[in-house]
């Protein structure tokens, strides 16, 4: 039902009559972008980051109801939850921030127990290897790939030199930081391959590849959430070292470790609706293939991390 003529508004872009928030003709939103800063800040958190009640509902459903988010998405009940891609990227930011903080805390604790005078006294005897029959050296005997430009060869030798010095000085922190910086990209690259594994495992279910990709996004988002919760429990156990709190946090961590594989198994059952026997078989097959895929991703991640030194 349209509004009376006195209350009808027209879109500023196409001049069509507008009866809602969006123009039905061109799709332009009718809220002016020139408003008070408080209103713009509220829209930023609600529209861009979706930090409202949907976030809590999404996280609760993701953590406690295996496969529910995917089935809700396929049933066109999507507005009450965060979109899979936004959920994944939000949790990836949180998870890798917590990993970074945990790593920094561990490094500080290790540095506190190392004697000040022994920092560089036991360097490792490590070399990159031989090239042209002689020991590699970034200046006197560099690696030169004929089909690469000189700038690329210089950059490669410079990175190898940094790697050699880092390993000799046993600066594992720098290596971990470099690998950690590339981990989000590596996990993101695993998503389409895991979706392909699901497509092959459930080939006769006649589901589209994008459906399997949604399932992969939700599963990886749950994994990131579980990692985040595990890191928080570990940190809290370190903060409260007295009484029964460490035992409680340890118990919660053990339950979380048990819940992760159970979650994936139950999720497959609820989403694809096959018998338990067939679901367990495919769960084992998918797990074996994914672990091998993960190993390739880790190797790729290490290579990228070394290039970022």
């Amino acid at each position: 039902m349209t509004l009376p003529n006195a209350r009808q508004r027209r879109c500023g872009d196409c001049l069509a009559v507008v009866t809602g928030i969006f123009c039905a003709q061109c799709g332009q939103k009718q809220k002016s972008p020139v408003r008070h800063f408080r209103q713009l800040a509220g829209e930023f958190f609600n529209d861009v980051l979706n930090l409202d009640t949907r976030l809590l509902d999404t996280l609760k459903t993701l953590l406690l109801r295996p496969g529910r988010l995917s089935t809700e998405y396929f049933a066109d009940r999507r507005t009450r939850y965060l979109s899979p891609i936004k959920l994944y990227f939000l949790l990836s930011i949180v998870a890798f921030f917590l990993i970074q903080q945990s790593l920094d805390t561990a490094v500080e604790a290790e540095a506190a127990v190392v004697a000040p005078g022994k920092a560089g006294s036991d360097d490792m005897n490590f070399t990159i290897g031989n090239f042209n029959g002689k020991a590699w050296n970034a200046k006197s005997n560099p690696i030169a790939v004929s089909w690469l430009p000189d700038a690329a060869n210089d950059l490669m030798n410079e990175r190898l030199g940094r790697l050699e010095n880092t390993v000799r000085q046993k600066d594992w922190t720098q290596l971990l930081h470099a690998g950690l910086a590339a981990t989000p990209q590596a996990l993101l690259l695993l998503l389409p391959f895991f979706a392909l594994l699901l497509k092959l495992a459930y080939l006769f279910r006649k589901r589209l590849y994008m459906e399997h990709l949604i399932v992969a996004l939700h599963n990886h988002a749950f994994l990131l959430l579980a990692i985040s919760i595990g890191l928080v429990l570990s940190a809290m156990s370190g903060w409260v070292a007295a009484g029964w709190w460490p035992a409680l946090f340890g118990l919660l961590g053990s339950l979380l470790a048990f819940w992760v594989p159970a979650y994936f198994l139950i999720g497959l059952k609820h989403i694809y609706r096959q018998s338990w026997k067939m679901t367990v078989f495919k769960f084992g097959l998918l797990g074996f293939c994914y672990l091998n895929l993960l190993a390739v991703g880790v190797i790729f991640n290490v290579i990228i991390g070394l290039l970022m030194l």
Side-chain angles (χ1 to χ4, degrees):
M1 182 176 67
T2 60
L3 296 174
N5 292 334
R7 298 177 57 193
Q8 284 184 351
R9 293 178 291 115
R10 291 189 177 273
C11 174
D13 188 19
C14 66
L15 301 181
V17 175
V18 178
T19 59
I21 299 178
F22 294 93
C23 174
Q25 186 69 25
C26 67
Q28 177 172 270
K29 193 173 185 179
Q30 297 306 300
K31 285 187 178 181
S32 172
V34 182
R35 297 189 299 280
H36 291 292
F37 176 78
R38 177 171 54 84
Q39 294 175 317
L40 293 176
E43 283 197 2
F44 174 79
F45 285 105
N46 288 330
D47 297 339
V48 179
L49 296 180
N50 284 291
L51 293 179
D52 51 16
T53 55
R54 284 187 296 171
L55 175 61
L56 296 178
D57 291 340
T58 303
L59 293 180
K60 181 177 66 174
T61 304
L62 178 67
L63 181 63
L64 301 177
R65 307 190 70 175
R68 175 73 179 209
L69 283 181
S70 297
T71 55
E72 289 285 276
Y73 191 90
F74 300 148
D76 291 332
R77 293 187 288 267
R78 299 190 287 266
T79 56
R80 69 188 71 176
Y81 305 110
L82 290 183
S83 67
I85 192 68
K86 287 184 179 180
L87 177 64
Y88 173 82
F89 279 112
L90 178 61
L91 288 176
S92 66
I93 293 173
V94 173
F96 291 107
F97 171 78
L98 292 175
I99 293 174
Q100 185 75 47
Q101 295 301 311
S102 178
L103 179 61
D104 292 340
T105 302
V107 169
E108 291 175 1
E110 183 179 356
V113 299
V114 175
K118 297 183 179 180
S121 60
D122 56 347
D123 288 353
M124 181 182 295
N125 184 17
F126 173 80
T127 58
I128 292 297
N130 294 330
F131 182 69
N132 288 333
K134 297 184 295 183
W136 172 87
N137 186 277
K139 294 183 178 180
S140 61
N141 187 34
I143 295 177
V145 181
S146 58
W147 50 270
L148 285 177
D150 293 340
N153 280 315
D154 293 341
L155 178 62
M156 177 174 57
N157 284 282
E158 178 190 355
R159 299 297 188 187
L160 289 175
R162 290 185 185 181
L163 172 62
E164 186 179 64
N165 292 332
T166 300
V167 177
R168 280 182 176 179
Q169 297 171 9
K170 298 182 180 180
D171 190 2
W172 310 121
T173 304
Q174 190 174 356
L175 289 172
L176 287 174
H177 275 266
L180 183 62
T183 302
Q185 296 90 326
L187 273 182
L188 188 60
L189 287 175
L190 287 179
L191 279 171
F193 291 103
F194 181 64
L196 181 60
L197 289 177
L198 289 172
K199 176 69 174 178
L200 295 175
Y202 294 95
L203 187 61
F204 300 104
R205 304 300 291 181
K206 296 182 180 180
R207 288 179 176 265
L208 298 176
Y209 174 78
M210 286 303 299
E211 295 181 80
H212 301 294
L213 187 59
I214 296 300
V215 176
L217 279 168
H218 283 145
N219 281 341
H220 280 75
F222 167 77
L223 184 60
L224 291 169
L225 179 60
I227 291 173
S228 301
I229 295 175
L231 290 172
V232 170
L233 290 175
S234 178
M236 293 177 67
S237 178
W239 295 337
V240 185
W244 48 270
W245 288 104
L248 175 62
F249 293 138
L251 176 61
L252 293 175
S254 300
L255 292 175
L256 181 64
F258 170 78
W259 178 236
V260 170
Y263 180 96
F264 294 138
L265 176 61
I266 298 173
L268 289 178
K269 170 65 176 175
H270 285 177
I271 294 171
Y272 296 103
R273 300 186 180 279
Q274 290 189 325
S275 65
W276 275 110
K277 184 177 181 180
M278 184 61 68
T279 301
V280 170
F281 170 75
K282 291 186 177 181
F283 172 76
L285 182 62
L286 285 169
F288 174 79
C289 295
Y290 185 75
L291 287 177
N292 285 277
L293 188 63
L294 184 62
V296 175
V298 168
I299 294 173
F300 177 80
N301 182 45
V302 170
I303 293 174
I304 296 297
L306 295 179
L307 292 176
M308 294 175 61
L309 281 176

